């Protein structure tokens, strides 16, 4: 087996941020608290490290005997922060990428001016990337993954069949949690565009988040009707 994680897709090598260059590689609640405090934003709404680790251990309890596949559908595709041994293009049936995560905690929006990001929701299908984590690195790399994706309630972890060119693998991914305050599955298009145009935070503007997704998807060769519709609507809104 080759040591090149981009062996199957060399075209992706220059499109994915190196782990050591990622903002999220050393992300922690301590780091987040410092950022929010400096900005005068509310703190303490997140999971404790103990709660987060308990969720991670429960999700992975039956998935440590071999390498772990992770399905990425949003910014994790080009900035995973984890060390992986293989990356593959893949498609998941029964789930779709939807812009239903209303950011109110300071990342790309606040409670006064919410931002908007993508989440994986049930229905349809979703094209994305699979990252393979070596079995011996699961503990370290999933700790980084959980600190990024499970700051507070928004998702729940599931394992889904992910189809790549040479077959199907069982992959970990993160699906919208309807019980979480941040998830609003019934957002109107007008509300989505409002949040995209006005949401700003320490990770950047929500508008830039969408622009980056549209740009990266074009580079990846991914067509997504929802991303295109929102991007075109945002451009019209900004004129």
């Amino acid at each position: 087996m080759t040591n090149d994680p981009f062996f199957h897709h060399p075209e992706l090598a220059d499109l994915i941020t190196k782990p050591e260059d990622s903002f999220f590689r050393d992300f922690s609640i301590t780091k987040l608290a410092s950022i929010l405090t400096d900005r005068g934003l509310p703190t303490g709404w997140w999971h404790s490290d103990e709660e987060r680790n308990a969720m991670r251990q429960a999700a992975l309890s039956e998935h440590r005997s071999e390498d772990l596949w992770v399905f990425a559908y949003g910014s994790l595709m080009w900035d995973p922060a984890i060390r992986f041994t293989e990356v593959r293009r893949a498609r998941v049936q029964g789930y779709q990428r939807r812009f239903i995560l209303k950011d109110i905690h300071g990342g790309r929006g606040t409670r006064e001016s919410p931002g908007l990001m993508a989440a994986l929701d049930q229905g349809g299908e979703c094209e994305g990337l699979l990252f393979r984590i070596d079995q011996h690195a699961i503990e370290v790399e999933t700790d980084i993954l959980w600190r990024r994706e499970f700051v507070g309630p928004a998702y729940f972890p599931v394992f889904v069949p992910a189809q790549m060119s040479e077959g199907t693998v069982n992959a970990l991914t993160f699906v919208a949690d309807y019980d979480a305050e941040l998830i609003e599955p019934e957002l109107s298009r007008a509300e989505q565009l409002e949040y995209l145009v006005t949401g700003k935070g320490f990770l950047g503007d929500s508008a830039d988040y969408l622009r980056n997704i549209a740009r990266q998807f074009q580079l990846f060769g991914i067509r997504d009707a929802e991303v295109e519709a929102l991007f075109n609507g945002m451009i019209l809104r900004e004129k």
Side-chain angles (χ1 to χ4, degrees):
M1 183 175 178
T2 176
N3 291 324
D4 179 8
F6 299 100
F7 174 76
H8 294 284
H9 299 295
E11 75 279 7
L12 298 179
D14 294 329
L15 303 180
I16 297 177
T17 302
K18 294 180 175 62
E20 59 270 20
D21 295 334
S22 175
F23 169 82
F24 296 102
R25 184 69 186 175
D26 64 350
F27 189 66
S28 67
I29 292 303
T30 300
K31 184 175 182 178
L32 175 62
S34 177
I35 293 171
L36 296 182
T37 299
D38 288 345
R39 290 172 171 259
L41 294 172
T43 61
W45 45 263
W46 43 70
H47 293 305
S48 69
D49 289 339
E50 292 75 18
E51 290 171 332
R52 186 177 305 103
N53 190 54
M55 289 188 288
R56 182 174 66 91
Q57 297 294 345
L60 299 174
S61 62
E62 299 180 2
H63 300 276
R64 293 178 177 275
S65 60
E66 57 186 6
D67 292 357
L68 179 70
W69 289 96
V70 178
F71 179 72
Y73 55 86
S75 60
L76 202 69
M77 293 169 64
W78 54 88
D79 186 14
I82 57 174
R83 300 191 189 282
F84 54 91
T85 60
E86 187 177 352
V87 59
R88 301 295 296 266
R89 294 181 180 272
R91 187 180 301 271
V92 167
Q93 300 290 339
Y95 293 91
Q96 60 186 313
R97 188 185 295 105
R98 294 186 64 205
F99 285 75
I100 58 174
L101 196 161
K102 186 173 77 171
D103 187 354
I104 60 173
H105 290 316
R108 294 188 185 274
T110 62
R111 196 170 287 277
E112 294 72 27
S113 296
L116 189 67
M117 294 187 289
L120 197 63
D121 198 10
Q122 294 188 5
E125 63 178 24
C126 183
E127 186 176 356
L129 296 181
L130 281 170
F131 294 103
R132 185 174 190 161
I133 299 175
D134 184 271
Q135 179 188 358
H136 302 294
I138 288 176
E139 183 67 24
V140 170
E141 300 306 323
T142 58
D143 178 57
I144 291 168
L145 190 60
W146 248 256
R147 281 191 277 116
R148 173 186 177 148
E149 299 297 318
F150 288 89
V151 177
Y155 306 116
F156 57 90
V158 298
F159 280 82
V160 298
Q163 179 71 43
M164 52 186 182
S165 61
E166 297 174 0
T168 301
V169 297
N170 197 31
L172 170 69
T173 195
F174 306 115
V175 175
D177 178 358
Y178 277 28
D179 290 332
E181 181 185 13
L182 300 187
I183 299 297
E184 292 201 9
E186 304 302 325
L187 285 176
S188 68
R189 180 68 85 211
E191 289 173 317
Q192 288 176 316
L193 292 172
E194 174 71 16
Y195 297 159
L196 284 167
V197 170
T198 62
K200 303 177 187 298
F202 67 84
L203 292 175
D205 298 350
S206 287
D208 287 339
Y209 172 81
L210 180 60
R211 289 190 190 96
N212 194 36
I213 285 182
R215 180 175 60 250
Q216 292 292 133
F217 279 15
Q218 184 176 29
L219 294 172
F220 284 145
I222 293 176
R223 296 295 304 273
D224 186 296
E226 181 73 356
V227 169
E228 293 173 12
L230 283 170
F231 182 76
N232 291 334
M234 188 177 71
I235 296 301
L236 291 174
R237 172 76 182 262
E238 291 177 332
K239 287 184 177 179

